[in-house]
Amino acid sequence: MTIERTGILLLVSGPSGSGKTTLCRRLADEGEAIYSTSCTTRPSREGERDGHDYYFISREAFEQKVSNGEFLEYAEVHGNFYGTLKTEVLNHLAVGTDVVMDIDVQGADQVRDCDDTSIQVALVDLFVMPQTEDELLKRLTGRGSDAQEVIELRMKNALGEIDNWPKYTYRLLSDTREQDYHQFKSLIIAERLKVSRLKNL
Ligand code: 5GP
């Protein structure tokens, strides 16, 4: 008797500096899930690779993909567009592969509202946030790759974004990197045990 299960769509949101991207990347690097690489119109930062960190595309190309219906969700964040291609998610879920996606709160609303049943069965949503505002500011400043005005804008946006945490099923209050990852990985391990994900029983 083969018991297969459908893939999990682990949707992770949280303010800049919460460490969510590191968590998602590590899960993918350890082979626990496929990382959904997003399209963005923002310029790449030093060290970022096209096709790995993001698909860096022009605004025109982004708009074309919107009109072709290629996105599962998309949103404007900090003045740039970001979107998840359906191809980065749906085919993997269908064959039982888990997918992790790092998207903002507007995108999360769209995924929750999506009427595709395979998404609804797969979806696990988590909000990652620092324990205090001081800690958030420290983390935003600590990255060192952005200008002061960018940090201020991100702090303002981050506080607005944090207001959304009650919409999520799970919340992780950030502690040490290791502790965070331990909890994060435990979540996907537990979700894999869900009876509702089993098929061909
Ligand atoms: P950053 O520019 O720092 O890489 O990302 C800025 C924000 O955009 C982060 O909150 C990140 O989660 C969000 N983001 C990244 N990819 C996507 C996406 O495909 N869709 C949406 N809605 N947000 C995204």
Side-chain angles (χ1 to χ4, degrees):
M1 179 182 64
T2 344
I3 301 180
E4 289 179 64
R5 66 169 180 84
T6 54
I8 293 165
L9 179 58
L10 182 53
L11 184 164
V12 185
S13 302
S16 304
S18 63
K20 65 185 180 329
T21 309
T22 308
L23 289 173
C24 295
R25 283 288 176 193
R26 184 164 165 193
L27 198 72
D29 289 347
E30 291 188 2
E32 297 286 343
I34 297 279
Y35 187 91
S36 161
T37 302
S38 300
C39 293
T40 184
T41 62
R42 88 150 157 75
S44 59
R45 296 193 188 109
E46 210 180 311
E48 284 183 329
R49 282 181 286 142
D50 186 36
H52 175 76
D53 295 284
Y54 284 103
Y55 299 109
F56 295 100
I57 63 175
S58 66
R59 197 164 275 236
E60 293 70 38
F62 196 97
E63 281 162 8
Q64 188 60 54
K65 288 183 187 301
V66 171
S67 45
N68 293 346
E70 291 179 50
F71 289 120
L72 178 61
E73 62 73 37
Y74 69 93
E76 189 176 351
V77 188
H78 315 313
N80 293 298
F81 285 94
Y82 295 80
T84 306
L85 293 168
K86 290 177 181 167
T87 50
E88 291 286 311
V89 175
L90 296 174
N91 299 345
H92 296 301
L93 295 181
V95 295
T97 304
D98 299 332
V99 177
V100 61
M101 69 196 306
D102 163 2
I103 69 170
D104 88 315
V105 294
Q106 307 167 75
D109 283 342
Q110 293 170 43
V111 177
R112 275 189 217 100
D113 290 348
C114 156
D115 52 16
D116 183 323
T117 38
S118 72
I119 297 284
Q120 292 317 322
V121 171
L123 186 62
V124 176
D125 58 338
L126 168 74
F127 197 85
V128 182
M129 59 193 271
Q131 308 208 12
T132 62
E133 270 187 38
D134 278 358
E135 181 61 26
L136 173 64
L137 185 59
K138 211 166 91 191
R139 289 178 182 214
L140 284 177
T141 320
R143 181 149 70 184
S145 58
D146 294 310
Q148 185 59 32
E149 72 230 40
V150 174
I151 292 170
E152 277 166 22
L153 177 66
R154 286 191 176 213
M155 186 67 187
K156 189 168 149 272
N157 289 338
L159 293 173
E161 189 148 311
I162 284 174
D163 288 342
N164 287 273
W165 73 259
K167 293 183 189 168
Y168 289 71
T169 310
Y170 296 98
R171 180 183 71 161
L172 197 163
L173 279 181
S174 184
D175 194 329
T176 63
R177 270 187 185 212
E178 284 311 308
Q179 180 62 18
D180 291 356
Y181 188 68
H182 175 69
Q183 295 197 56
F184 187 57
K185 192 168 167 182
S186 302
L187 174 60
I188 198 165
I189 290 171
E191 285 288 332
R192 287 178 184 146
L193 307 180
K194 254 190 179 167
V195 172
S196 58
R197 296 192 194 289
L198 302 179
K199 49 185 187 184
N200 304 335
L201 266 174

